[in-house]
Amino acid sequence: MADSYEQFKEKILRKTGINLTLYKEAQMKRRISSLASRNGFNDLLEYFKFIDNDKEKFNEFINFMTINVSEFFRNPEQWKIVETKLFPAFLSKNKDIKVWSAACSTGEEPYTITMILSTLLPLNKITVYATDIDDGAMAKAKAGVYIASSLKNVPTELKNKYFKKNSDGKFEISNEIKSRVQFKKHNLLKDPYIDKCDLIVCRNVMIYFTDDAKNEIYQKFSNSLKPDGVLFVGSTEQIISPQQFDLKSLKTFFYGRTNSNIKL
């Protein structure tokens, strides 16, 4: 199976624009080989033929590869910093806040951001940009229906205000929150970045990329921030030398431009 991995990567690149060379090879090869075996294939080229002719199985591959695991208010103490320090700092300078949730998966993150902003601004003043490479994940995000366990960290007042429980026991987020999030397909490794952002949130994704790919992404994120903008990363993704990207650590998991005046 290992011998066919290079050809498999080339075929995936031609079909999707996703360059698997930029992902950590051992980790990605293990995941893809596992999924191929689960579908009855020991040869990756045969597996590619299979998913190339089956849209549902192709979507399964994309979803499995992009590792969509999320929940609302993941790591609540970090979101408390966003709510009590970061957004008030932005609002003290400007009444419009531009937020990008990159690699947003199934939508819990951009909806978390929107709910936090709703406590500080009228809903009609809020727009959150949310992007992901996975069409299936974004379809789930747009539907906005979640299992109960993904809401475990949502504050009670926000849960009561913005969610309704469906007959199947799942929870649907309100249209007034959904309408404030703009979803768009985006490949972090090749597509243009959203610019002039106050806050970019990209969490628990970078760990899957090679060092070269991470360096390129961090530089592009830095370039996409306003002078006092902030990059918020995941709990396993602290940037070792932020200065090489014209960034500095403001607090654990939060990075500002080198000349930023933001204090956390």
Side-chain angles (χ1 to χ4, degrees):
M1 186 176 285
D3 294 339
S4 59
Y5 185 62
E6 291 300 320
Q7 292 174 271
F8 180 85
K9 288 193 296 183
E10 291 174 9
K11 290 178 180 294
I12 291 297
L13 179 61
R14 286 198 295 270
K15 182 176 176 66
T16 68
I18 298 171
N19 188 351
L20 292 175
T21 301
L22 298 173
Y23 291 77
K24 291 179 180 176
E25 181 165 321
Q27 192 175 45
M28 189 56 67
K29 186 190 294 185
R30 184 168 59 249
R31 288 184 62 81
I32 294 171
S33 298
S34 172
L35 183 60
S37 296
R38 192 185 307 171
N39 280 280
F41 295 92
N42 292 318
D43 182 271
L44 286 180
L45 296 182
E46 290 300 317
Y47 176 59
F48 178 82
K49 289 180 186 177
F50 175 63
I51 62 175
D52 194 33
N53 292 294
D54 188 318
K55 185 175 181 180
E56 184 176 335
K57 287 297 182 179
F58 176 74
N59 289 337
E60 177 190 63
F61 164 74
I62 293 293
N63 186 265
F64 188 77
M65 188 194 74
T66 50
I67 314 155
N68 292 310
V69 178
S70 190
E71 62 187 32
F72 292 94
F73 289 87
R74 186 174 185 175
N75 308 115
E77 67 284 355
Q78 295 168 24
W79 289 109
K80 186 58 69 174
I81 293 169
V82 173
E83 178 183 4
T84 62
K85 295 186 177 181
L86 190 54
F87 282 159
F90 291 151
L91 288 170
S92 70
K93 301 171 182 291
N94 193 338
K95 296 305 179 187
D96 295 317
I97 299 179
K98 187 173 184 180
V99 183
W100 176 19
S101 172
C104 70
S105 187
T106 47
E108 291 91 337
E109 182 176 274
Y111 289 142
T112 293
I113 295 165
T114 305
M115 285 188 286
I116 292 172
L117 281 172
S118 76
T119 68
L120 302 168
L121 288 170
L123 277 168
N124 64 2
K125 300 291 185 183
I126 299 169
T127 301
V128 174
Y129 300 91
T131 63
D132 201 274
I133 199 171
D134 186 345
D135 289 317
M138 282 196 296
K140 292 178 181 178
K142 291 174 184 178
V145 178
Y146 301 93
I147 58 175
S149 60
S150 68
L151 278 68
K152 63 184 179 183
N153 293 321
V154 179
T156 300
E157 64 273 20
L158 293 178
K159 182 176 177 181
N160 292 338
K161 186 174 184 179
Y162 291 128
F163 290 89
K164 68 174 182 180
K165 190 173 184 179
N166 293 337
S167 58
D168 61 0
K170 294 181 180 179
F171 289 82
E172 183 172 356
I173 199 163
S174 71
N175 286 329
E176 54 187 335
I177 293 295
K178 286 184 194 177
S179 67
R180 308 323 305 170
V181 180
Q182 294 186 11
F183 290 99
K184 183 179 180 180
K185 186 171 183 175
H186 183 268
N187 183 340
L188 285 169
L189 297 170
K190 74 166 193 173
D191 292 333
Y193 278 37
I194 298 171
D195 63 357
K196 298 179 181 177
C197 295
D198 293 288
L199 175 64
I200 297 174
V201 184
C202 187
R203 307 171 76 211
N204 309 304
V205 174
M206 303 295 283
I207 54 175
Y208 302 108
F209 293 124
T210 64
D211 287 341
D212 286 346
K214 282 192 287 190
N215 290 344
E216 181 179 343
I217 292 170
Y218 283 138
Q219 187 60 64
K220 288 181 177 179
F221 279 149
S222 177
N223 295 343
S224 296
L225 292 172
K226 290 180 181 177
D228 280 334
V230 173
L231 172 63
F232 176 18
V233 303
S235 298
T236 59
E237 298 170 326
Q238 294 184 60
I239 305 175
I240 303 302
S241 301
Q243 64 276 5
Q244 68 179 302
F245 311 114
D246 191 28
L247 295 171
K248 64 180 180 181
S249 177
L250 303 175
K251 199 174 186 67
T252 308
F253 316 123
F254 295 88
Y255 298 86
R257 299 296 297 273
T258 302
N259 296 321
S260 172
N261 293 312
I262 290 287
K263 306 292 183 185
L264 294 180

